[in-house]
Amino acid sequence: MLQRGLLDCAVRVGVVLVVVCSCLSLFYVFACNPHSSNRLSPLFRDNIPTRKEGYQALLQEREEQHRRYISSLQKQISQLKEALEERSKQLKSLKDSLERIAVTAPAGYPGRVANQSRANLQEFLKNQLARAEVQAGNKLLNDWRLGLPGTLRRSLFTKIARDELTNAIETALQALNTPWEGDNFNHRRIYSPADFIEGISRIERDKGTLYELTFKGDRSQEFRRLVLFRPFGPLMKVTSERLQTGNMLINIIVPLAKRVEKFRHFMYNFREVCIRQDRRIHLTVVYFGKDQIREVKGILEKTSKEMHFRNFTLIQLNEEFSRGRGLDVGARTWKRGNVLLFFCDVDIYFSTEFLNSCRLNAQPGKKVFYPVLFSQYNPSLIHGQHNTKASLEQQLVINKDTGFWRDFGFGMTCQYRSDFINIGGFDVDIKGWGGEDVHLYRKYLHSRLLVVRAPSHALFHLWHEKRCSDELPPEQYKMCMQSKAMNEASHGQLGMLFFHHEVEAHLHKQINSRKL
């Protein structure tokens, strides 16, 4: 019995030990092995069964990458060596050639290379001399204006300047006629010198010459502008843009006091140019005083009725005439957004060409246009030898005997209303004649805006007798008298008038000597 009890106890103890060992084994297995793939090291992949195999696969992959990188570097080094050897061979060949030339050249002479270079240079200079104007008589383009018309453009510009401007126009035409990428050249027009309208140039001493050339566009009221720059070398294109002027309204502001007959002539030209031809104009008349205001209103109403024109504004100021005050009021009265302003006097004649120049050379926030107009001499002195009075078309001729370029005048200007307001407008404290335009011009010169100052062959100052008021301050009176003297005739014509007694006496002497 005792033995059987001991045996049963031993069996039970063994079973317990087996169970305990089994539990410990299971616990060990769960503790040492990961339960999911998330606990794997980031160096291992999911398909790697154990750590050892994962490390071996990773090492093999890295080794293969290094082998490929080393192979690429070796290939690049080999290519560089080949290129270096080829360059070395070229340098050696050139050196051998120079040594052979030096050996065969006569002693004490720079060598055949120098001889060849000198011969080429002499040949080039001969060709240039043969092509020179003194030999071949090269003709200039007849269509370029650059602000100056006809004979004056040839007299005021030197030959070098004319050649540069002609070359600029030719370069611009070549750029216009070069097809763009993706452009159908078969349906593009070919630009010619006849399409050139006008241009302006500006020379900067430390940079070069800048050209702005304007050509006719593909449609009516469309233009093409090219900006070229000559940096003391070959020309290069800066920009090429299309300019649409169809919607560019010009507000012409005219200050007026009495002078009804002059205003009548002005409105005749306004009808022909602004209403019949341009049709993108608003007229603002600022009238000072009450005298003759009815006549002015009648002229405007008649024009409005006959021409079906409603784009005008009449402003009456019951105060002393001041040109700057009138223009300032006219500019500030406009309330329909930004507009291009043309400050004009009643004795000014202009054409549609000038209106296009006004639109092309003024740009809001960037440019204001100050044209140099051509001022007429006294027609009675110029055309006094004729029995009949010369017509307006006959008077509008530009040469040294009919008038002069009013380069000292800054009254006629094209600028946008926003620029005029931002610059501060006119000095309204200046009364009477002169001074306000120069003050405004100087303010623009000191601003960030570009001032375009160029002659316009389509803008004329018609002659009228000047009267300088005794009430003007000395400085203004002096300016007025200088303008009056220059407005009558040229220096030579005034001299003939001044010395006419001596001229007549000389003629009498000649006649008497022949009789004897």
Side-chain angles (χ1 to χ4, degrees):
M1 292 294 291
L2 183 60
Q3 292 179 351
R4 183 179 294 178
L6 291 174
L7 181 62
D8 292 337
C9 184
V11 171
R12 292 176 181 175
V13 171
V15 171
V16 172
L17 290 175
V18 170
V19 172
V20 172
C21 291
S22 299
C23 292
L24 291 175
S25 299
L26 290 174
F27 180 79
Y28 176 78
V29 170
F30 283 109
C32 295
N33 292 329
H35 295 283
S36 66
S37 59
N38 294 335
R39 294 190 180 182
L40 291 175
S41 172
L43 297 176
F44 297 137
R45 296 180 181 176
D46 294 339
N47 57 358
I48 298 177
T50 64
R51 287 186 174 184
K52 184 176 181 181
E53 293 176 354
Y55 278 121
Q56 290 178 350
L58 180 62
L59 291 175
Q60 289 177 359
E61 183 178 352
R62 293 292 179 86
E63 185 177 0
E64 185 65 25
Q65 291 178 355
H66 286 300
R67 285 176 181 174
R68 288 196 297 268
Y69 182 67
I70 292 172
S71 176
S72 176
L73 291 176
Q74 290 176 347
K75 186 176 180 180
Q76 293 180 15
I77 292 173
S78 177
Q79 293 175 351
L80 291 173
K81 285 183 178 180
E82 292 177 359
L84 182 60
E85 290 177 357
E86 185 177 354
R87 290 295 179 91
S88 300
K89 290 179 181 179
Q90 293 177 356
L91 292 174
K92 184 177 180 181
S93 177
L94 180 61
K95 183 179 179 180
D96 294 340
S97 300
L98 294 175
E99 288 178 354
R100 286 195 299 271
I101 293 174
V103 170
T104 56
Y109 196 74
R112 292 184 180 179
V113 176
N115 277 339
Q116 187 65 30
S117 300
R118 181 173 298 179
N120 293 337
L121 180 59
Q122 290 177 350
E123 184 66 23
F124 173 75
L125 293 176
K126 288 180 180 179
N127 292 334
Q128 292 294 97
L129 182 61
R131 295 169 56 188
E133 185 177 4
V134 67
Q135 298 287 346
N138 293 336
K139 295 182 179 180
L140 296 170
L141 288 175
N142 294 324
D143 297 277
W144 67 264
R145 300 182 180 88
L146 227 87
L148 287 177
T151 56
L152 287 184
R153 88 174 69 129
R154 288 186 288 273
S155 62
L156 294 183
F157 284 19
T158 64
K159 178 187 177 300
I160 296 177
R162 296 198 306 268
D163 292 342
E164 290 179 352
L165 296 172
T166 302
N167 177 249
I169 295 176
E170 292 174 348
T171 303
L173 289 173
Q174 183 179 4
L176 287 173
N177 293 324
T178 300
W180 302 341
E181 183 178 355
D183 192 11
N184 188 355
F185 189 72
N186 295 327
H187 298 284
R188 293 180 71 248
R189 59 172 294 190
I190 303 300
Y191 289 86
S192 66
D195 296 317
F196 176 70
I197 296 178
E198 67 174 20
I200 58 175
S201 66
R202 178 179 179 178
I203 300 177
E204 298 184 10
R205 290 179 296 176
D206 58 339
K207 296 179 180 65
T209 306
L210 186 72
Y211 301 91
E212 289 188 12
L213 307 178
T214 305
F215 296 81
K216 295 178 183 177
D218 297 331
R219 293 182 295 273
S220 176
Q221 300 178 0
E222 184 182 75
F223 302 88
R224 292 292 302 275
R225 172 183 288 164
L226 270 77
V227 179
L228 304 175
F229 182 63
R230 188 194 302 275
F232 299 123
L235 281 172
M236 61 181 183
K237 184 175 74 173
V238 178
T239 61
S240 178
E241 57 182 339
R242 294 183 184 272
L243 301 176
Q244 294 287 350
T245 62
N247 297 324
M248 290 186 183
L249 181 73
I250 299 179
N251 185 8
I252 301 178
I253 303 178
V254 180
L256 185 64
K258 301 180 180 180
R259 304 184 69 183
V260 175
E261 198 59 34
K262 284 291 182 181
F263 183 68
R264 198 184 309 276
H265 289 294
F266 174 84
M267 289 303 299
Y268 175 80
N269 177 58
F270 184 87
R271 284 187 177 201
E272 298 298 318
V273 174
C274 299
I275 302 178
R276 296 185 188 274
Q277 300 179 39
D278 192 88
R279 300 187 296 275
R280 292 164 291 165
I281 299 297
H282 184 93
L283 176 63
T284 300
V285 179
V286 182
Y287 193 83
F288 288 83
K290 298 180 180 180
D291 296 341
Q292 302 181 350
I293 184 64
R294 291 184 179 181
E295 289 85 345
V296 173
K297 287 182 179 180
I299 295 172
L300 292 174
E301 291 173 356
K302 182 180 179 181
T303 302
S304 175
K305 182 178 180 180
E306 294 178 354
M307 306 299 296
H308 304 286
F309 180 77
R310 300 290 185 272
N311 293 338
F312 69 87
T313 302
L314 177 61
I315 303 172
Q316 183 181 3
L317 299 178
N318 294 323
E319 53 188 79
E320 183 184 356
F321 175 79
S322 171
R323 184 178 184 273
R325 164 73 173 160
L327 294 174
D328 196 89
V329 170
R332 297 180 187 275
T333 301
W334 181 270
K335 301 298 182 182
R336 289 182 281 171
N338 202 10
V339 68
L340 179 58
L341 306 175
F342 172 39
F343 295 152
C344 184
D345 288 339
V346 72
D347 49 14
I348 296 297
Y349 173 89
F350 55 85
S351 66
T352 55
E353 287 187 69
F354 170 75
L355 296 177
N356 285 332
S357 298
C358 186
R359 293 184 176 99
L360 294 171
N361 293 311
Q363 192 172 356
K366 293 185 179 180
K367 294 190 297 185
V368 294
F369 182 41
Y370 273 84
V372 179
L373 53 82
F374 189 79
S375 185
Q376 282 185 329
Y377 289 139
N378 190 341
S380 62
L381 297 178
I382 304 304
H383 307 282
Q385 65 272 20
H386 302 288
N387 294 328
T388 59
K389 184 179 179 181
S391 63
L392 181 62
E393 288 74 15
Q394 293 174 332
Q395 295 180 33
L396 300 179
V397 177
I398 298 178
N399 59 53
K400 63 180 181 179
D401 295 324
T402 60
F404 63 97
W405 291 103
R406 191 179 284 266
D407 55 354
F408 56 85
F410 304 93
M412 309 311 122
T413 174
C414 296
Q415 55 197 281
Y416 275 85
R417 182 180 183 274
S418 58
D419 296 329
F420 178 78
I421 298 298
N422 292 334
I423 205 70
F426 283 107
D427 185 357
V428 295
D429 294 332
I430 299 178
K431 304 296 182 182
W433 185 92
E436 79 289 335
D437 51 354
V438 178
H439 184 264
L440 179 66
Y441 177 74
R442 288 175 177 171
K443 287 201 293 185
Y444 277 123
L445 288 180
H446 291 87
S447 70
R448 295 184 178 181
L449 297 177
L450 177 64
V451 178
V452 178
R453 180 72 167 162
S456 175
H457 67 280
L459 188 65
F460 290 83
H461 178 268
L462 303 178
W463 182 87
H464 62 87
E465 184 179 359
K466 280 188 174 294
R467 293 184 175 89
C468 300
S469 174
D470 293 335
E471 297 177 356
L472 290 174
E475 187 64 26
Q476 284 185 276
Y477 188 83
K478 180 180 178 181
M479 292 173 59
C480 183
M481 292 301 295
Q482 289 176 348
S483 178
K484 181 176 181 178
M486 295 184 63
N487 208 39
E488 290 296 319
S490 65
H491 184 80
Q493 292 166 334
L494 290 176
M496 292 298 294
L497 291 175
F498 185 79
F499 296 110
H500 74 280
H501 295 293
E502 298 181 20
V503 173
E504 291 178 358
H506 177 74
L507 290 176
H508 286 302
K509 289 181 181 179
Q510 291 290 325
I511 293 173
N512 293 331
S513 63
R514 290 175 184 177
K515 290 180 179 180
L516 297 175

